[in-house]
Amino acid sequence: QQHADLEIHQVEIGVPEQFQRLVDGRLDVGLGRASLAPSTVASELFRLDPLGVLVAEGHPLAMQAEIPVATLAAEPLLLSEEERAPEFNQFVIELCRSVGFVPTLYKGTVGSIRASVDLVAQQRCVLCAPSSCLPIPAGIVWRPLVAPLSRYPWSVLWRAGDSSEHVSSLVRAARTLSQQLGWLEPQAAS
């Protein structure tokens, strides 16, 4: 609204591809976890997003208000395709290891969020997802993960050294939203 003349072309691609497109000039701004960013990509953390798990409504975990991370040890866990979201997969695996287990992974892969949700609906696996990935399709519920409470770090990403006004405006907008909505504020543990 503040920049009505700004032309936006929104694409859904994984963070590794965002890094590549930022570096080669095909993308001006991206969003994702910055932990694997090359030195040619600048970033600013703007949201710590509660992590949860998607389960089918009929799944026993759906009856709980919160899911202890250790509970996932008994569930086949669907991860993203490694080339699409290695940073998210790493985050989930590190979370599981932090409470003493290596997750049992769902054998097989899917190429879309829709296919992932279908597997969850069939109770073949569970899927970790940040709260910002809502709304959830019918028949699926999202429950926050606790013990420990975990928050996924979203950063705005851009080409290092790019001082163009449109990039600076988007970075400022992410910073402002973060402050207004308290996205970096500590959250009480359950």
Side-chain angles (χ1 to χ4, degrees):
Q1 292 171 339
Q2 295 173 358
H3 301 279
D5 59 331
L6 186 61
E7 187 174 318
I8 297 174
H9 300 270
Q10 184 174 328
V11 293
E12 265 189 62
I13 54 176
V15 175
E17 189 172 346
Q18 288 183 55
F19 293 154
Q20 184 58 47
R21 288 185 183 200
L22 286 165
V23 169
D24 68 21
R26 292 181 293 146
L27 185 66
D28 293 319
V29 175
L31 298 173
R33 185 175 181 211
S35 63
L36 302 177
S39 60
T40 52
V41 173
S43 66
E44 183 174 324
L45 179 68
F46 72 94
R47 184 174 186 162
L48 293 171
D49 197 356
L51 188 66
V53 64
L54 294 171
V55 297
E57 284 179 347
H59 192 285
L61 293 179
M63 306 312 160
Q64 299 179 38
E66 300 174 325
I67 309 296
V69 173
T71 306
L72 297 181
E75 300 293 333
L77 185 62
L78 178 62
L79 294 180
S80 298
E81 290 182 293
E82 187 62 22
E83 57 276 354
R84 181 165 171 82
E87 73 294 337
F88 185 78
N89 292 346
Q90 176 188 36
F91 187 84
V92 170
I93 290 169
E94 288 171 3
L95 176 63
C96 293
R97 286 183 177 157
S98 77
V99 296
F101 75 96
V102 175
T104 301
L105 302 180
Y106 174 80
K107 295 187 185 326
T109 61
V110 294
S112 71
I113 296 297
R114 180 71 231 157
S116 299
V117 170
D118 286 344
L119 289 174
V120 169
Q122 297 167 22
Q123 297 190 32
R124 295 179 65 190
C125 59
V126 298
L127 176 67
C128 290
S131 67
S132 65
C133 292
L134 306 176
I136 304 302
I140 305 289
V141 296
W142 181 89
R143 297 291 184 254
L145 287 169
V146 296
L149 181 67
S150 184
R151 294 169 53 182
Y152 188 74
W154 290 103
S155 292
V156 61
L157 313 165
W158 67 96
R159 201 169 18 271
D162 186 343
S163 59
S164 62
E165 181 52 34
H166 66 281
V167 169
S168 297
S169 292
L170 286 169
V171 172
R172 281 192 308 274
R175 187 180 305 131
T176 299
L177 277 174
S178 178
Q179 291 167 351
Q180 288 175 347
L181 299 174
W183 284 343
L184 294 176
E185 299 299 319
Q187 291 186 345
S190 297

